[in-house]
Structures are given as C-alpha cells and as structure tokens.
Amino acid sequence: MAHEIEIIGNVAQFAYIGETPWHGLGQVMPPDANVEEMQKAAGLDWKIQTKPLYFINDEGVATPIEERVVQVRDRDQKVMTVSSPAWVPPQNADFFEYARDLASKSGARLTVAGSLRDGKTPFALLTLGKTFYVGRVQDQFRNHLLLSWSHVAGRANRMKLVNERVVCANTEAIAFAEDGADYRQTHSRAFDFSAADKALGLVMQTIDKQEQDLDKILRVNMNHFDVVKFLQPLLQPMTPEALEEAKLDEHKLLLQLANGTGLNTAMAGVLNSIEKAPGGVWGDAQTGYSVYNGVTHYVDHVVGKNRDARLTSAWFGDRAALKTQVKQGLLEMAS
C-alpha cells in the first residue's frame, strides 16, 4: 500500500478521537479513550530491543561486530536500524507517558497516534486547549502539539506546534524553539523530557504571536498581479537564461502568468486554491491571508501522491518550509 502510515495485516497502525483524519484510515476511538488505549489501538504497544550484530564468513562461522548492534521491534523482531552500542533508542511508552503528563499539566488531550515509514517514525498529536480566531469569528484555528520520535539512528526526536484552520483542516507547523525551528534533541542520548518541558514554556506565547501575524497579513491587500508576482520566485522561478530564451523580461513574464499563460502545476494549483478552496477569498479583494491559506490548502489537500503522504510532507518535509517562507514574505509586506 502506498500510504506512509504503517499497515500490518490490512490494519492501519493509527488511532484517532473525533473527526475522521485526512486519509480515512485507522481505528476511531471513544472520546474518553486513555493513553494506554490510544497506544494499543495505534499498534505502538511494543518496545525496541538491542541485539548483537554478527558477520558470517564463508565457512559459516559467526563473528560479533562489537562496534555495531541491531535495534529490533520486540513484537515481530523487525529490524528498525543498525547503530553504535552507545545509541539510546527511544521507547514508545516513554513518549506516551510524557503525553499523559502534558495532559495533566496543561489540559492538552491526546487525540491522534500512529506510526509512519514501517513503524520507524511513531508520533502522537495532542490538541491544546487554546484556540484563536482571525478576522472574523467564524474563522477558527485549533492548536496541536506534535511529538515524533525516530527508531532510526541518526535522526532526532522532535516536538512541534501545529495549528489547524478548522474550516478546511489546513495546517502549519509553527516555530517556537529558540533557534527558530521546532524543538528537537540529538539522537545520541535518551530524550530529556524535563528539557522539553522548558521549551514548552514558549508554546502559548507562540500561539499568541501566530494570531497577531495572521491578523497582520489579513490587512495586506493584493490584486491578482500582486499575488502572482509574490508567488513566482517560490513556485515558478525563472532564471535569466530562461527569460532570455523566452524573449521576455520579468514584467512581461509576470503579466503572462497573471493571465494564466504558462503556469506550471504548482503555481496553477495554488492560484486555484486561493480562489476556490473552502474559506478562500473574502469578498472581491484578495489579501495576504487568502494567499497564505491558498498555499496551505494546496500543500495539505492537493499536491502529492496520496492524502497521508501530503500531510507527512506538510508536517515533516520540504512543504512545511514553503508555508513558512510564504508567511514570512507576507509579514515583510505587512511591516
């Protein structure tokens, strides 16, 4: 199956409370499901075991390789990764226990859990109690905290703030760590949950800032040409050589694109989402806010091979960076 979510025996390793998720897979859970029930329903009630690694020569003699070990899933002995003996593999139960702790401290609620990439990237999504509205009361944003941990040596364990536009389930991962990125810890030692707690102190401040930022870009008025001019470097960059070959200067190229001539798939898709996606254009005039929501809608619901691959990219991949670039560019216009 082409889905990013792990499938074992035709059962998606995924559980959720509330609305059916983007891919329609997984086990729907009752509203009062606890952490253990969510972990089990998501197929994450297993541990990582460390096993020795051997070299078998032509005579069939096995020699241990002291510099490397194998990390396997205890349920089925599936190999997750090969690592040095010093690497400390994360355990699913530790992160679910942390989710329980967060819920008791902040009122957050574990609503989604699952695993991607053959079980190598488990995750848990907690819905935070804080919501906000932009521009008008009907346009509501919910906020979530995404925990993800890796059973592959060399990859960091991470924590992200993700907001969701309720009307169409557009999402964006929001930077809240001090380095301007999501919070992550090195893969070489056990995850320090107390240090993560300190980083969480920035979350509520970041939610307030996100509300302020979206209100700012709502006030950026743009006509169709302005929108195309803003998006062109990000979605359809044109080199000087290509411009010369096309016998066009930049302004003429932008006019052509604004008239719908020569649009590539990404540019055409985003422009369509700006205009036709749920909650797209407010009235007759486009704004920076409609551009932002058009890009997030295109990334989350249009581009990509399938629905869960789209959201995986939106949360973890390059397309998350595109959303951030667009928002930052619009904020610069608003300043």
Side-chain angles (χ1 to χ4, degrees):
M1 188 173 274
H3 298 282
E4 293 274 331
I5 293 171
E6 185 181 22
I7 308 291
I8 298 178
N10 293 323
V11 177
Q13 306 302 285
F14 191 95
Y16 62 94
I17 294 173
E19 300 171 6
T20 302
W22 58 96
H23 43 70
L25 298 172
Q27 286 60 252
V28 59
M29 300 295 290
D32 59 349
N34 61 32
V35 169
E36 289 85 3
E37 291 167 338
M38 289 291 288
Q39 181 182 358
K40 183 175 181 179
L44 289 169
D45 53 340
W46 46 266
K47 296 180 180 179
I48 292 291
Q49 294 179 330
T50 302
K51 302 287 187 179
L53 185 65
Y54 293 90
F55 166 71
I56 301 177
N57 65 18
D58 292 341
E59 285 74 39
V61 177
T63 302
I65 302 173
E66 295 182 358
E67 296 82 6
R68 289 289 183 268
V69 293
V70 180
Q71 308 291 350
V72 303
R73 179 162 60 187
D74 67 350
R75 181 174 66 193
D76 54 7
Q77 298 298 290
K78 178 181 176 63
V79 174
M80 293 285 121
T81 191
V82 175
S83 72
S84 77
W87 184 64
V88 180
Q91 297 292 352
N92 300 337
D94 292 338
F95 281 84
F96 279 98
E97 192 58 38
Y98 184 55
R100 187 204 311 276
D101 187 51
L102 287 176
S104 66
K105 289 178 179 177
S106 66
R109 187 179 176 212
L110 177 62
T111 52
V112 178
S115 61
L116 307 172
R117 302 167 183 140
D118 293 326
K120 295 178 181 178
T121 307
F123 67 90
L125 190 72
L126 291 94
T127 299
L128 303 176
K130 189 177 177 75
T131 62
F132 64 84
Y133 300 85
V134 174
R136 56 183 184 180
V137 172
Q138 292 88 344
D139 212 23
Q140 181 184 9
F141 283 78
R142 281 193 294 243
N143 291 277
H144 310 273
L145 193 66
L146 175 65
L147 303 175
S148 65
W149 55 102
S150 179
H151 294 307
V152 177
R155 295 182 183 173
N157 305 311
R158 305 166 70 177
M159 186 166 61
K160 285 186 176 185
L161 177 63
V162 177
N163 74 17
E164 175 192 18
R165 190 183 182 210
V166 175
V167 69
C168 53
N170 292 0
T171 63
E172 185 189 1
I174 311 299
F176 72 91
E178 292 181 0
D179 62 357
D182 53 280
Y183 179 77
R184 64 184 72 195
Q185 288 185 13
T186 176
H187 59 275
S188 62
R189 65 176 190 272
F191 193 81
D192 186 342
F193 292 103
S194 62
D197 270 348
K198 294 179 181 178
L200 277 173
L202 299 172
V203 168
M204 293 307 174
Q205 298 174 36
T206 305
I207 293 174
D208 291 338
K209 184 178 185 302
Q210 174 71 352
E211 181 178 7
Q212 296 165 10
D213 286 346
L214 294 181
D215 276 327
K216 287 178 183 177
I217 66 176
L218 173 63
R219 295 193 289 271
V220 176
N221 295 314
M222 307 174 76
N223 60 33
H224 188 69
F225 182 83
D226 295 331
V227 173
V228 171
K229 183 177 180 180
F230 172 75
L231 292 174
Q232 179 266 322
L234 297 171
L235 299 176
Q236 194 167 347
M238 185 67 77
T239 64
E241 293 78 14
L243 284 169
E244 183 177 348
E245 183 178 343
K247 306 300 182 186
L248 293 171
D249 59 30
E250 184 177 353
H251 184 73
K252 288 181 180 178
L253 169 67
L254 291 172
L255 284 175
Q256 283 194 2
L257 296 178
N259 289 327
T261 302
L263 296 172
N264 67 15
T265 301
M267 180 73 86
V270 169
L271 292 176
N272 184 68
S273 284
I274 291 171
E275 183 176 354
K276 298 181 180 179
V281 177
W282 292 3
D284 296 328
Q286 292 173 352
T287 68
Y289 186 67
S290 60
V291 173
Y292 165 81
N293 283 314
V295 171
T296 56
H297 181 273
Y298 177 74
V299 168
D300 288 354
H301 305 291
V302 179
V303 72
K305 294 180 180 180
N306 55 61
R307 288 176 289 178
D308 62 312
R310 282 195 287 270
L311 198 56
T312 300
S313 179
W315 282 357
F316 299 106
D318 293 339
R319 295 182 190 128
L322 174 63
K323 297 177 185 182
T324 301
Q325 285 179 301
V326 168
K327 189 176 73 175
Q328 288 304 119
L330 291 168
L331 285 171
E332 290 175 8
M333 294 175 65
S335 60

